[in-house]
Amino acid sequence: MYDVIIIGAGVSGAAVARELSRYRLKVCVLEKEEDVCCGTSKANSALIHSGYDAAPGSLMAKLNVAGNTMMEELSLELDFPYKRIGSLMVCTSNEDLPQLQTLYSRGIQNGVKGLSVITRKEEIREMEPNLADDVVAVLHAASAGIVCPFGLNIAMAENAAANGVEFFFDTKVERIFSNKKEQRGFQIKTSKGILETRCIVNAAGVYADVFHNMVSNRKIHITARAGEYCLLDKSAGEHVNHTIFALPTKWGKGVLVSPTIHGNLLVGPTAVDIEDKEDTATTREGLTELIEKAGMSVRKLPIRQVITSFTGLRAHEDNHDFLIGELSDAPGFVDCAGIESPGLTASPAIGLMVADIIREKLQPQVNPDFNGKRKGILNPNTLSKEERAALIAAKPAYGNVICRCETVTEGEIIDAIRRPLGAKSLDGVKRRVRAGMGRCQAGFCSPRVMEILSRELGIDMKKVTKNGAGSELLIGTNKDRL
């Protein structure tokens, strides 16, 4: 019998797990994929929003601003990349200036700090030389930032695991029943057996409506909203200094152009509602659309420097707000649903809010052994020449570069595999240390990473996968054909 079972190991589920690990509770996380950060949390804009966009009074607005405020301290505690670079909402027509002013007023009402409307073209051009020529004003949000979404998600999950939370991967939730035997709580039928729990936290992303509707008569509906992106090479990373948003116009909502925390340039997303909650395909139409729209805000966009494109799915609830709270007709079932943008920003505050709901219900004791600190994977590129030489002398694997594009060493990959909730696949390694995320997109380093995974996990090379069962890369050896 668990006290709490969390469904979903994305950024919301990991945030809840970490906050609950502050208490003496038996907690586990169920994830249908082979790793944390495999759904919405892995494919998004990687932004820390300031909070002026959400409707005043909404949970989105409240938790966005709270999460933004918490992010810097959290990044220091958990050792993940984060940088406050600010954002600019671009207005290209005098007719649209009232709309820009409305967003400014909404931000002030939401409690956003560091907002200003700038109309002096010289000042705008000094801030961003590559903005479109017809820009007449910008809304500057100094509190906006960029983050590594994988780093944030993995850091919170690792810290939760270090403090006693159990994680079960490749474990799909199939049904949820009331626990008649205990006359309280729930039984959860999974692909690997039945578990019992006093409380459930439903952090299942685009599938959160499925589990909510299993236990509640008050149905909700979540749409998978697909957003396509282009990622540009690091040679294009300094084309803009801030995250650039386009003010919605008669041509529709624009796309963003932003530096990433690792020095690339990101363009996107589109927004198309789809039926299939697993469809992450990119389309020619979508990529063409985002390139055209980005060009309305940023000139001379070096789009030929694209190294990959991808699609992320947002969990859009019909009322366009976060659904967080215990269900009145299913006591012990706590929704953490409809977590779309700005969910990444809000995640620390979401974790705190859900943990408070559980704490008030179960009245647990504080965990005296809780340690909120976590040390990330050592990046030798951050060391001085002398420090790096000493590291390699002590641990020669840090002198063996495996991924040339990102200069990732064997030592880093070994750390990624051996640490709590370590990598078990090529994508797991990629999310943790960026091996395969560079210009050649894993064309060079994949065989070597596979060899390291095979050795460290003690499995045959044919069992090494890209992202879990069914994505094996090898089917045999050449000698088998002789």
Side-chain angles (χ1 to χ4, degrees), residues 116-373:
S116 60
V117 175
I118 302 171
T119 56
R120 285 185 59 247
K121 288 193 174 184
E122 297 81 5
E123 185 177 354
I124 295 171
R125 189 64 61 196
E126 185 177 349
M127 295 175 73
E128 284 293 351
N130 286 319
L131 284 188
D133 293 331
D134 55 354
V135 171
V136 297
V138 296
L139 174 59
H140 179 218
S143 63
I146 51 178
V147 71
C148 175
F150 322 118
L152 170 59
N153 197 160
I154 292 167
M156 291 192 292
E158 283 186 0
N159 191 235
N163 285 294
V165 176
E166 299 175 62
F167 283 75
F168 298 108
F169 298 106
D170 297 310
T171 305
K172 184 178 181 180
V173 174
E174 297 173 348
R175 292 294 303 176
I176 300 174
F177 307 94
S178 295
N179 195 335
K180 295 179 181 178
K181 181 178 69 174
E182 293 286 335
Q183 295 185 334
R184 61 175 182 171
F186 305 90
Q187 287 187 331
I188 300 179
K189 182 178 182 294
T190 78
S191 56
K192 294 186 176 179
I194 293 176
L195 298 172
E196 297 181 344
T197 181
R198 298 168 67 189
C199 295
I200 292 174
V201 174
N202 175 24
V206 293
Y207 289 99
D209 57 344
V210 174
F211 301 123
H212 170 106
N213 295 339
M214 284 182 184
V215 302
S216 177
N217 292 319
R218 297 174 180 148
K219 307 304 182 185
I220 65 172
H221 178 251
I222 289 176
T223 302
R225 179 162 290 173
E228 297 181 50
Y229 293 86
C230 285
L231 184 70
L232 280 63
D233 186 64
K234 290 183 177 180
S235 61
E238 296 182 356
H239 195 72
V240 294
N241 305 310
H242 305 74
T243 297
I244 309 300
F245 295 103
L247 188 70
T249 68
K250 61 184 179 182
W251 293 286
K253 189 174 182 179
V255 301
L256 63 87
V257 179
S258 179
T260 71
I261 196 71
H262 297 291
N264 298 86
L265 192 71
L266 187 67
V267 180
T270 56
V272 179
D273 292 346
I274 60 175
E275 294 293 328
D276 185 354
K277 295 187 178 188
E278 297 291 333
D279 185 2
T280 56
T282 55
T283 65
R284 179 176 180 177
E285 294 78 15
L287 297 177
T288 299
E289 175 190 345
L290 70 87
I291 291 168
E292 290 177 351
K293 286 187 173 180
M296 295 179 183
S297 303
V298 177
R299 61 191 180 94
K300 299 179 180 179
L301 193 65
I303 205 63
R304 291 177 65 86
Q305 298 299 316
V306 169
I307 59 174
T308 191
S309 59
F310 62 93
T311 294
L313 300 180
R314 287 160 276 177
H316 176 70
E317 198 275 326
D318 289 350
N319 294 309
H320 190 51
D321 198 5
F322 300 157
L323 292 178
I324 299 175
E326 183 180 13
L327 302 187
S328 59
D329 61 346
F333 189 98
V334 180
D335 264 333
C336 185
I339 311 299
E340 58 180 320
S341 179
L344 188 72
T345 308
S347 59
I350 290 172
L352 196 59
M353 180 177 178
V354 174
D356 282 346
I357 294 170
I358 298 293
R359 178 177 54 80
E360 290 182 14
K361 184 173 185 66
L362 300 183
Q363 297 293 309
Q365 294 181 340
V366 172
N367 176 8
D369 300 320
F370 174 78
N371 179 4
K373 300 281 187 179

